[in-house]
Amino acid sequence: MQLKFLIILGLSLAAPLSGACQNIVRISSREGMSNSSILSVAQDADGYIWAGSCEGLNLWDGKQVRNYKLSGNLIHEIIPTRDGMFWVRTNYGFDLFDPREKISERHARFNRPYTVTARSREEAFLVHEGRLYGYNPMAAEFEPVEMTGREITLDRKTRLFIDRRSSLWIVRPEGLYRYEIKRSAEGRCSAHEAEFIPVHKGIVFSRGLGESICFLDRNRVLYRFDPETGTLSLLFDLKGFEGFNNDGLTAIERDGDDWLLAFRNGLWRLSPRGPAGGGGV
């Protein structure tokens, strides 16, 4: 796909050029933030902003900052769920946090989980040391998930995603695996392989975004996959753009019709010239 424009933004870009700088408010340790190095940001169901820093979880209510400690001090990821909870990935675990009651349920035995996903209080999974774990709400613990189907490797190249049908997707360099999740009467999870979609050009980066899975292949082509319809759309063909490094991609976000690609050395904003086209892999 052709691009209308592509701008490389430095990390120091902080405001538009319209002269509205007086509306910018810096929130840092001077306002009570536990640490000025922010690793993650999320908004709760009441509209309040939460920031994960190198020293815990922080609530900004528009006037002051309050701090909360979890299983680890590094708050790498905050996942708001459809039932108003947070699942929070720290450097030492994956914790359930109630942003209204300010109560945490800590799961600190997973030192640096490889990847996590969650959709509700009951639906949460993580990969740790080559195994898949599912949350058992009856026991309030993560337990190993029994998996049936072909044998796959679960390592740091693995990503997890739960779709609106509560199917679990495991994204690996070789393709996308869909598992149907079943629970026993005691709340234990089992995962049964239902589908495999090979990606012959290989997946080098993936992320769940809304109800879709976005991934980049080795040929620098960015795709969006809709698990509900099975539709694969080509977003951008980035071959030929100097400075683009597959290995440095860290995040993907959408801003209206534009797409933001975050790298270790900056941020790219991509705008399509026309609607995204479809295509196979």
Side-chain angles (χ1 to χ4, degrees):
M1 169 171 294
Q2 294 180 320
L3 306 182
K4 184 177 179 182
F5 58 84
L6 185 149
I7 304 174
I8 302 178
L9 302 174
L11 289 176
S12 61
L13 184 60
L17 301 179
S18 60
C21 295
Q22 66 271 20
N23 294 326
I24 296 177
V25 177
R26 183 182 181 187
I27 307 167
S28 65
S29 56
R30 303 180 79 177
E31 287 72 41
M33 198 72 71
S34 58
N35 190 292
S36 295
S37 181
I38 305 302
L39 306 177
S40 54
V41 177
Q43 188 175 38
D44 66 24
D46 296 320
Y48 293 116
I49 300 301
W50 295 77
S53 77
C54 291
E55 290 293 341
L57 186 63
N58 301 263
L59 166 63
W60 167 250
D61 62 8
K63 297 180 180 179
Q64 62 179 339
V65 178
R66 281 173 277 179
N67 315 127
Y68 301 90
K69 297 297 183 181
L70 297 178
S71 61
N73 57 321
L74 303 180
I75 310 299
H76 290 294
E77 188 175 1
I78 307 169
I79 304 175
T81 69
R82 57 183 177 174
D83 50 1
M85 304 294 283
F86 284 164
W87 279 100
V88 184
R89 178 171 66 92
T90 78
N91 54 326
Y92 284 112
F94 194 32
D95 301 344
L96 180 63
F97 185 80
D98 187 332
R100 287 182 171 169
E101 299 296 329
K102 314 299 186 297
I103 298 172
S104 64
E105 180 183 287
R106 303 184 186 185
H107 302 277
R109 65 189 182 96
F110 301 102
N111 185 5
R112 293 174 174 81
Y114 296 162
T115 180
V116 300
T117 190
R119 187 169 171 82
S120 67
R121 180 187 181 276
E122 291 79 15
E123 297 173 290
F125 297 89
L126 64 87
V127 171
H128 182 253
E129 294 184 348
R131 297 197 68 176
L132 177 67
Y133 290 81
Y135 183 68
N136 182 342
M138 298 179 68
E141 282 290 347
F142 281 93
E143 299 171 340
V145 175
E146 180 184 353
M147 301 179 67
T148 61
R150 73 196 75 197
E151 185 175 344
I152 64 173
T153 301
L154 300 176
D155 57 17
R156 296 191 182 278
K157 296 180 180 179
T158 304
R159 292 294 178 266
L160 304 177
F161 177 80
I162 304 173
D163 67 21
R164 68 177 68 197
R165 298 172 299 180
S166 296
S167 294
L168 176 67
W169 290 83
I170 298 180
V171 184
R172 293 276 308 145
E174 65 271 17
L176 300 92
Y177 300 83
R178 180 171 68 87
Y179 288 83
E180 294 299 329
I181 301 299
K182 296 182 180 180
R183 288 189 184 273
S184 68
E186 295 77 25
R188 296 190 182 91
C189 291
S190 58
H192 308 272
E193 184 184 338
E195 184 179 6
F196 172 61
I197 301 173
V199 178
H200 301 296
K201 295 174 184 176
I203 297 176
V204 297
F205 177 87
S206 66
R207 181 184 175 182
L209 199 61
E211 299 296 338
S212 302
I213 300 173
C214 294
F215 67 87
L216 184 75
D217 71 11
R218 284 196 302 265
N219 286 357
R220 300 183 178 182
V221 179
L222 183 64
Y223 293 93
R224 177 176 57 190
F225 177 71
D226 184 338
E228 187 170 8
T229 64
T231 303
L232 183 70
S233 302
L234 186 153
L235 292 176
F236 297 103
D237 187 341
L238 297 167
K239 293 192 295 290
F241 287 96
E242 293 186 9
F244 186 92
N245 183 352
N246 288 4
D247 297 333
L249 185 61
T250 58
I252 298 174
E253 286 291 346
R254 189 169 185 178
D255 182 17
D257 292 332
D258 294 351
W259 293 79
L260 302 175
L261 274 64
F263 292 84
R264 293 187 181 93
N265 62 350
L267 185 68
W268 290 38
R269 186 182 190 93
L270 285 72
S271 179
R273 180 169 292 169
V281 189

